[in-house]
């Protein structure tokens, strides 16, 4: 009986990828990873693999490929065997499904055989697998399940799942939700599995995509997320690396209880009669081997709610109707529209580079056409700009048909580059630019959302409802993108970008209402489509994650469910979160185990003239009004604008009157309006810098305002760097275009500025707060005149046994984390840099910790237990400030 030889070749095993890339985003849909040729109109270099054939003979080649635009077949390629090309050209089939195509017959000798993938077109050719077979009648299976089984059979992969063991907690997804969840639980002692379907951690914030850790502080004062979110941002700023991947990996590697499993895509869940999850089954995205993880508690951080879906959790998808949750921004009727993702890696959309001479561009026929500027509804100021609004319409299904959704974004990107080069009114700026890179990773914004005991709504955010079960906060706008995506025209990229007050996240929105041991963190929490707009950013997700990771520890500790934590252990959850630097607005530490609460604090000195100021950004030099200068900013939550205050400097001997031009604009960065809605006047006092009030006294319905001052001799307006999100300054004037300056503003306040002096006394380190609350509840700040070292003491009035000290320093939580590194640099200047911790035992001081080069907000020191009479923190230097700044000292016997 003749025995036929079958050789399955995985494309991701190619030793030399050339210009091809391995894409494993859609293994759950189409079965395997594949090679894709991400050219920009020019064929990419060959990929090469060498296989060993045990027998020579006549082999038939099968190629699994996809024609991703049927009418145009843009991604064509050939396969070469030992340098001999196939007569067939692949990527031209009459369907956009993945198909097996015959590649012809080849006489091959036993021994090495070189396989070459040759891109012919430069437009995203793709190939998933090759099969060499001596059986002329053999046809590979097309159905995904059968294909996976055939692949396992040919490659000798065991059909039985590998048992990965028992865990206290299984977290699925290692992005901004999964990593902090797992880290929080592991630190508290849980044996934790972190199961992730990508080769590196970080999700949308990883080095594969590059979304920044934005959050509430991008729009709210004193609102930057603390805890693990702040650790991530501080490490990212200090070490740079691949997006936030390296920072997250550092924190993961530091936890012995945490076990990371990459390239594992969860594809199923086993549940019991009570609907509780017993185990999850994950597919190795490269080997095809199945793996089983058993656990007591599970957290879904997949973004798309896949774990909840497989476990039978109730979920929502698309837009809810207006009357379902009484949301003014919801449509009248429910539908399946969701927000589009956008292509990243590491920047948004296509990227061009400048050449020495003009470079024409002719778009491929499959790229969409966009109208001129006035109809396009998008603001573009430079050819190098990359845009988050390169989005497909919301009816494109990027959950169940993710690859096609990604391909729609590729088409849009090429259409946009065509617009930049050939349609845009500023196209002369792009004349010398050539398209150099087009990313293929889809940074997703919305998927399925699991239903909890509470569904967070638009009204919850807008009214800042005071949930008693709050475990975190949010403050990003209700940022909902237009359902038509890039095709929305004059209506612009937003459905909503409505400012909201700082609001709260209830624990009841972070666990499933029908799967008793399932929690979630990320864009898949219990939230409406509208309210998702304010909670879906990375720093906010990280706070949810720390909350559910901590709750998982309490579930195991008390042998209960997440709902049981809400009903019976809520205070313990909140106090534990506060202990570990989670910010929960309105809550104060009341931890009875904290020995510092009963101590008396004193310090070597305290600053007596620190002004209480929660304005965001950093004031820099004075900019003379020698040209028209403008500032654009979002209005407040309410439409009423009473006054605007500008910080202006006068060199004149006499007061002078100034006129402020006030204008409306629908979009951030848009200085196009030439119509004043108000022209208030005010008197600038003589000599010196003054806050000057301009009375507006009117309602403003649009989202943004911009104001400008005409040239005035002897008057200057102070520049601000790193202002809040959507603040811009501009120069120029109405006679020509206003030139926008990104990442800068001018000194401005929507409220009357105050010169109240803050209490900087040592009692602040034990007041129960770890950030500024008001002028009385501030932080300890030493007298800058006295220099370093400076110390703060806790006197326990006798010996108390302790072995752990928690310190919280000032890393300027008033200002946002910035893309590419927090704040003005890797180190926050206010942060304590060099310090010692000492304990007085039997009348003698013992140093238990000595640190140089600190840049972190939260520092924990553990030492041998001892009877401590006094605890002293001596600050020897900061990262730039002349004062020591300490928010909180906690002491424990752990």
């Amino acid at each position: 009986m003749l025995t036929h030889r079958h050789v399955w070749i995985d494309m991701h095993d190619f030793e030399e990828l050339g210009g091809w890339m391995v894409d494993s985003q859609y293994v759950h849909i189409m079965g395997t990873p594949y090679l894709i040729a991400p050219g920009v109109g020019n064929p990419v270099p060959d990929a090469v693999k060498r296989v060993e054939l045990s027998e020579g003979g006549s082999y038939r080649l099968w190629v699994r490929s996809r024609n991703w635009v049927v009418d145009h077949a843009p991604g064509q390629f050939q396969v070469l065997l030992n340098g001999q090309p196939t007569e067939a050209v692949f990527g031209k089939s009459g369907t956009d499904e993945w198909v097996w195509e015959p590649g012809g017959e080849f006489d091959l000798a036993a021994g090495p055989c070189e396989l070459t993938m040759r891109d012919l077109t430069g437009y995203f050719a793709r190939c998933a697998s090759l099969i060499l077979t001596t059986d002329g009648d053999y046809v590979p299976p097309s159905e995904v399940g059968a294909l996976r089984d055939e692949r396992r059979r040919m490659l000798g992969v065991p059909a039985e799942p590998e048992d990965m063991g028992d865990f206290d907690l299984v977290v699925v997804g290692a992005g901004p939700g999964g990593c902090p969840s797992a880290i929080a639980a592991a630190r508290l002692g849980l044996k934790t599995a972190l199961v992730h379907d990508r080769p590196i951690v970080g999700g949308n914030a990883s080095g594969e995509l590059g979304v920044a850790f934005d959050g509430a502080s991008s729009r709210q004062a004193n609102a930057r997320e603390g805890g693990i979110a702040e650790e991530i941002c501080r490490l990212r700023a200090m070490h740079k690396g691949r997006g936030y991947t390296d920072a997250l990996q550092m924190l993961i590697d530091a936890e012995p209880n945490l076990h990371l499993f990459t390239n594992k895509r969860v594809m199923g869940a086993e549940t019991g009669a009570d609907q509780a999850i017993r185990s999850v089954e994950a597919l190795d995205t490269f080997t095809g081997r199945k793996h089983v993880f058993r656990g007591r508690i599970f957290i879904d951080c997949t973004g798309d709610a896949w774990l909840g879906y497989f476990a039978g959790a109730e979920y929502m998808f698309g837009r809810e109707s207006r009357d379902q949750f009484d949301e003014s921004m919801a449509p009248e009727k429910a539908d399946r529209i969701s927000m589009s993702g956008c292509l990243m890696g590491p920047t948004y959309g296509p990227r061009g580079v400048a050449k020495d001479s003009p470079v024409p561009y002719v778009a491929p026929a499959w790229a969409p056409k966009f109208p001129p500027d006035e109809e396009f509804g998008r603001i573009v100021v430079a050819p190098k700009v990359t845009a988050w609004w390169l989005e497909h319409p919301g009816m494109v299904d990027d959950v169940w048909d993710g690859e096609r959704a990604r391909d729609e974004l590729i088409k849009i990107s090429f259409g946009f580059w065509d617009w930049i080069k050939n349609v845009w009114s500023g196209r002369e700026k792009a004349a010398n630019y050539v398209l150099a890179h087009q990313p293929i990773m889809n940074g997703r914004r919305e998927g399925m959302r699991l239903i909890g005991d509470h569904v967070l709504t638009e009204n919850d955010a807008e009214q800042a409802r005071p949930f008693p079960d709050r475990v975190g906060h949010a403050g990003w706008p209700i940022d909902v993108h237009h359902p038509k995506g890039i095709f929305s025209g004059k209506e612009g990229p937003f459905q909503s970008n409505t400012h909201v007050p700082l609001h709260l996240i209830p624990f009841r929105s972070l666990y499933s209402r029908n799967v008793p041991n399932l929690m979630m963190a990320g864009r898949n929490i219990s939230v409406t489509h509208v309210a998702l707009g304010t909670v879906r950013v990375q720093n906010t997700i990280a706070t949810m994650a720390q909350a559910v990771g901590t709750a998982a520890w309490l579930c195991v500790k008390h042998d209960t469910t997440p709902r049981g934590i809400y009903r019976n252990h809520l205070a313990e959850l909140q106090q534990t979160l506060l202990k570990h630097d989670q910010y929960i607005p309105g809550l104060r530490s009341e931890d009875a185990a904290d020995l510092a609460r009963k101590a008396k604090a004193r310090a070597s000195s305290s600053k007596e003239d620190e002004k209480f100021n929660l304005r965001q950004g950093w004031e820099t030099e004075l900019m003379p009004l020698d040209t028209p200068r403008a500032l654009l900013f979002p209005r407040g939550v309410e439409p009423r604008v009473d006054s605007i205050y500008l910080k202006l400097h006068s060199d004149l001997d006499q007061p002078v009157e100034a006129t402020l031009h006030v204008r409306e604009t629908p979009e951030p960065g848009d200085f196009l309006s030439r119509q004043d809605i108000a022209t208030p006047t005010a008197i600038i006092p003589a000599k010196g810098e003054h806050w000057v009030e301009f009375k507006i006294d009117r309602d403003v319905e649009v989202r943004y305002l911009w104001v400008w001052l005409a040239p005035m001799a002897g008057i200057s307006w102070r520049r601000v760097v790193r202002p809040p999100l959507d603040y811009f300054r501009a120069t120029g004037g109405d006679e020509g275009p206003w030139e926008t300056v990104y990442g800068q503003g001018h000194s401005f306040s929507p409220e009357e500025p105050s010169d109240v002096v803050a209490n900087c006394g040592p009692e602040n380190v034990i007041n129960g707060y770890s950030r500024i609350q008001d002028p009385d509840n501030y932080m300890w700040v030493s007298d800058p005149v006295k220099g370093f070292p400076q110390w703060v003491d806790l006197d326990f009035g006798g010996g108390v046994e302790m072995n752990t000290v928690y310190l919280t320093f000032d890393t300027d939580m008033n200002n946002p984390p910035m893309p590419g590194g927090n704040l003005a640099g890797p180190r926050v200047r206010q942060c304590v840099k060099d310090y010692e911790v000492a304990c007085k035992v039997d009348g003698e001081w013992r140093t238990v910790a000595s640190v140089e080069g600190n840049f972190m907000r939260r520092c924990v020191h553990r030492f041998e237990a001892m009877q401590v009479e006094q605890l002293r923190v001596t600050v020897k230097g900061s990262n730039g400030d002349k004062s020591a700044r300490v928010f909180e000292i906690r002491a424990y016997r752990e």
Side-chain angles (χ1 to χ4, degrees):
M1 179 178 175
L2 179 63
T3 302
H4 289 289
R5 295 284 302 164
H6 303 287
V7 181
W8 184 292
I9 299 103
D10 277 331
M11 307 312 295
H12 61 266
D13 283 339
F14 269 54
E15 294 95 351
E16 301 169 25
L17 291 178
W20 296 69
M21 291 178 61
V22 177
D23 191 353
S24 61
Q25 294 177 85
Y26 310 110
V27 169
H28 60 296
I29 296 173
M30 50 74 63
T32 64
Y34 57 87
L35 285 187
I36 186 169
V40 286
N42 299 307
V44 306
D46 294 346
V48 179
K49 178 177 176 57
R50 295 161 187 85
V51 297
E52 194 75 21
L53 298 179
S54 59
E55 297 179 9
S58 177
Y59 284 84
R60 172 171 290 180
L61 174 68
W62 286 95
V63 179
R64 189 168 184 240
S65 64
R66 179 168 175 253
N67 178 2
W68 65 281
V69 187
V70 171
D71 293 339
H72 299 280
Q76 299 180 31
F77 66 97
Q78 282 182 303
V79 180
L80 285 70
L81 285 79
N82 292 329
Q84 178 185 349
T86 56
E87 292 184 7
V89 172
F90 306 101
K92 297 171 58 178
S93 69
T95 174
D96 65 355
E97 300 289 341
W98 281 95
V99 295
W100 287 103
E101 297 184 81
E105 306 281 343
F106 294 83
D107 290 326
L108 301 174
C113 176
E114 184 176 86
L115 301 169
T116 302
M117 303 293 300
R118 179 155 295 167
D119 178 24
L120 299 178
T121 54
Y123 285 121
F124 304 90
R126 56 200 72 179
C127 178
S129 304
L130 304 176
I131 294 177
L132 288 170
T133 178
T134 59
D135 184 352
D137 296 324
Y138 175 79
V139 177
S142 296
E143 191 275 324
V144 171
L147 180 142
R148 288 197 184 107
D149 290 341
E150 184 74 335
R151 177 176 181 264
R152 278 194 289 266
R153 183 185 69 82
M154 285 192 184
L155 295 177
V157 176
E160 289 300 313
E162 181 178 355
D163 188 343
M164 306 304 289
D166 295 282
F167 297 88
D168 297 315
L169 172 65
V170 177
V171 180
V172 181
C179 290
S181 297
I183 291 164
R187 286 179 177 176
L188 291 166
L190 295 193
K191 182 184 178 183
T192 303
L194 180 56
V195 184
H196 190 46
D197 64 349
R198 303 299 305 162
I200 60 175
V201 299
N204 275 357
S206 73
E208 292 186 304
L209 289 111
V211 177
F213 260 61
D214 278 317
S217 63
S218 295
R219 296 292 181 90
Q220 315 278 353
N222 196 34
R224 193 160 88 237
E225 295 76 5
I228 295 172
E230 174 67 359
E231 293 180 49
I232 295 165
C233 289
R234 300 291 354 118
L235 287 168
R236 165 68 179 90
M238 191 65 187
H239 297 290
K240 304 301 182 189
R242 300 169 296 171
Y244 291 81
T245 291
D246 290 350
L248 291 164
Q249 192 66 55
M250 288 177 195
L251 294 174
I252 290 168
D253 291 343
E255 300 306 323
N257 291 323
L258 179 49
H259 308 272
L260 173 64
F261 302 91
T262 56
N263 297 316
K264 304 291 186 293
R265 175 88 190 196
V266 167
M267 301 288 289
E270 179 191 3
T271 58
D274 60 353
Q275 288 191 276
I277 304 173
R278 301 290 185 260
S279 66
V280 296
E281 185 175 272
L283 182 75
D284 188 298
T285 55
F286 289 97
T287 70
R289 181 77 189 271
K290 296 177 182 178
H291 301 77
V292 172
F293 300 83
R294 292 184 298 278
R296 297 177 64 179
I297 302 295
F298 293 81
I299 301 177
D300 188 334
C301 298
T302 61
D304 287 329
W306 284 112
L307 173 55
Y309 172 81
F310 290 127
E314 298 174 20
Y315 68 92
M316 301 182 290
F317 180 76
R319 303 191 296 180
E320 296 75 38
S321 65
R322 186 169 302 165
D323 60 0
Q324 187 172 352
F325 294 100
D326 190 29
E327 294 181 308
S328 64
M329 299 182 203
E332 285 192 24
K333 295 183 178 180
D335 55 39
R336 291 185 61 80
I337 287 176
S338 62
M339 282 186 278
S340 167
C342 60
L343 298 183
M344 299 189 66
T347 59
Y348 295 105
R351 186 164 67 244
V353 295
K355 299 295 183 180
D356 294 332
S357 58
V359 182
Y361 181 72
V362 178
W366 41 265
K369 298 293 183 181
F370 298 118
D373 301 37
E374 60 272 15
E375 301 293 328
F376 192 32
R378 303 297 187 272
I379 300 169
V380 177
V381 296
K384 293 181 71 175
V385 70
T386 51
W388 53 262
W389 35 255
L390 294 176
E391 300 172 308
H392 59 62
M395 284 305 293
V396 176
D397 187 349
D398 59 2
V399 172
W400 295 99
D401 206 0
E403 189 182 4
R404 284 193 181 88
R406 188 275 307 277
D407 292 344
E408 288 301 312
L409 296 175
I410 291 175
K411 296 177 191 175
I412 287 167
S413 293
F414 280 87
F416 177 62
W417 187 253
D418 178 43
W419 184 88
I420 286 282
K421 293 285 289 183
N422 300 314
V423 180
W424 177 39
S425 61
R427 57 187 176 273
E428 70 281 355
K429 299 178 184 178
N432 289 15
Y433 277 79
V434 62
L435 183 57
H437 174 69
Q438 172 58 49
I440 64 168
M441 297 294 295
N442 191 356
R444 304 281 312 293
R445 290 189 174 97
E446 185 175 5
M448 296 178 281
R449 288 161 278 118
L450 303 179
I451 301 175
D453 280 349
H454 179 82
V455 177
L456 193 69
T457 69
E458 170 194 334
N459 297 317
D460 292 335
E462 290 182 333
Q463 299 170 24
R465 286 183 171 145
F467 296 112
D469 60 327
R470 57 191 179 273
V471 290
H473 71 286
W476 189 262
I478 297 181
D479 174 3
V480 180
H481 295 188
H482 201 290
K484 294 180 183 178
I486 191 68
F487 302 102
S488 62
K490 286 184 176 181
E491 295 177 11
F494 292 107
Q495 175 191 327
S496 161
N497 193 28
T498 303
H499 186 63
V500 291
L502 195 71
H503 60 95
L504 305 171
I505 298 174
F507 181 56
R508 287 167 296 150
S509 293
L510 305 182
Y511 62 81
S512 168
R513 75 180 183 185
N514 71 305
V515 178
N517 62 342
L518 176 63
M519 291 184 283
M520 52 275 191
R523 53 188 168 84
N524 58 341
I525 68 166
S526 184
V527 62
T528 64
H529 167 82
V530 173
L532 177 65
T534 183
V535 300
R536 62 182 175 80
V537 287
Q538 315 298 284
N539 253 357
T540 305
I541 288 172
T543 65
M544 304 174 197
Q546 185 165 349
V548 295
T550 303
W553 169 68
L554 289 173
C555 287
V556 173
K557 175 183 176 181
H558 296 293
D559 192 21
T560 188
T561 63
R563 185 178 287 119
I565 298 300
Y566 165 69
R567 291 175 175 171
N568 304 309
H569 307 283
L570 180 60
E572 185 178 6
L573 172 59
Q574 292 171 327
Q575 288 298 313
T576 304
L577 288 168
L578 291 174
K579 175 181 178 180
H580 295 284
D581 197 34
Q582 180 96 312
Y583 178 41
I584 309 177
L587 290 188
R588 187 174 196 160
S589 175
E590 298 175 350
D591 187 355
D594 180 8
L595 302 169
R597 294 181 68 233
K598 298 179 181 179
K600 293 182 179 179
R602 65 190 185 99
S604 54
S605 70
S606 296
K607 189 176 182 181
E608 296 182 355
D609 59 353
E610 174 113 334
K611 298 295 177 63
F612 178 74
N613 174 18
L614 292 180
R615 289 186 298 276
Q616 293 179 286
W618 291 268
E619 293 183 337
T620 59
E621 79 276 15
L622 291 169
M623 305 196 77
L625 287 178
D626 53 3
T627 183
R629 297 192 183 277
L631 173 69
L632 186 150
F633 54 91
R635 65 162 172 76
V637 175
E638 300 299 329
R640 185 69 181 173
V641 179
D642 294 318
S643 295
I644 291 172
Y645 298 83
L646 306 184
K647 197 173 187 180
L648 301 174
H649 185 279
S650 174
D651 292 325
L652 305 177
D653 294 327
Q654 299 293 325
V656 64
E657 185 178 77
T659 298
L660 184 69
H661 299 265
V662 184
R663 295 174 177 178
E664 297 177 320
T665 182
E667 300 294 341
D670 181 350
F671 288 91
L672 297 177
S673 173
R674 295 296 181 264
Q675 181 176 353
D676 295 336
I677 65 167
T679 53
T681 60
I683 299 299
I684 305 173
K687 291 295 184 183
E689 195 164 24
H690 313 274
W691 282 105
V692 180
E693 178 185 10
F694 293 87
K695 293 184 178 295
I696 309 299
D697 292 328
R698 66 178 297 154
D699 289 340
V700 177
E701 296 301 327
V702 299
R703 181 69 189 88
Y704 297 92
L705 288 173
W706 64 283
V707 299
W708 66 277
L709 291 167
M712 296 181 67
I715 304 298
S716 300
W717 194 0
R718 192 168 292 280
R719 186 172 71 103
V720 171
V721 297
R722 308 278 188 167
L725 188 70
D726 291 349
Y727 280 65
F728 305 88
R729 72 176 182 91
T731 59
D734 283 357
E735 299 306 316
W738 287 88
E739 294 294 331
T740 305
V741 182
Y742 293 87
Q744 296 184 19
H746 287 291
S747 294
F748 152 89
S749 177
E751 301 171 348
E752 184 175 4
S754 170
D755 287 329
V756 173
V757 175
N759 168 30
C760 297
E763 63 274 13
N764 283 292
V765 302
I766 54 172
N767 68 3
Y769 297 114
S770 62
R771 70 175 62 205
I772 296 170
Q773 299 296 308
D774 50 50
D776 294 324
N777 294 282
Y778 199 68
M779 65 180 128
W780 172 58
V781 184
S782 69
D783 186 345
V785 175
K786 295 187 177 181
F788 295 109
Q790 295 289 315
W791 52 259
V792 59
D793 269 2
L794 298 184
D795 189 331
F796 298 98
V800 293
E801 187 176 42
M802 73 175 66
N803 64 356
T804 308
V805 173
Y806 291 68
L807 303 176
T808 307
F809 299 123
D810 180 16
T811 51
D812 190 8
M813 304 302 279
N814 186 44
N815 282 291
M818 305 302 291
N822 276 27
L823 314 171
R827 297 178 183 271
V828 179
R829 65 183 307 275
Q830 296 97 316
C831 185
V832 168
K833 181 180 180 182
D834 306 321
Y835 66 93
E836 284 187 355
V837 181
C839 297
K840 182 177 277 189
V841 180
D842 296 331
E844 295 184 359
W845 287 104
R846 299 183 186 179
T847 300
V848 296
S850 182
V851 176
E852 293 182 353
N854 175 59
F855 57 92
M856 300 293 282
R857 166 178 160 87
R858 169 53 68 94
C859 298
V860 180
H861 299 285
R862 294 183 168 87
F863 45 88
E864 184 180 350
M866 57 185 73
Q867 291 289 322
V868 178
E869 298 147 12
Q870 285 180 251
L871 177 68
R872 173 171 291 183
V873 178
T874 301
V875 178
K876 298 180 177 182
S878 75
N879 284 286
D881 200 90
K882 294 181 179 180
S883 295
R885 295 175 175 270
V886 181
F887 270 117
E888 186 178 53
I889 301 175
R890 290 172 176 252
Y892 293 92
R893 175 63 172 95
E894 293 185 337

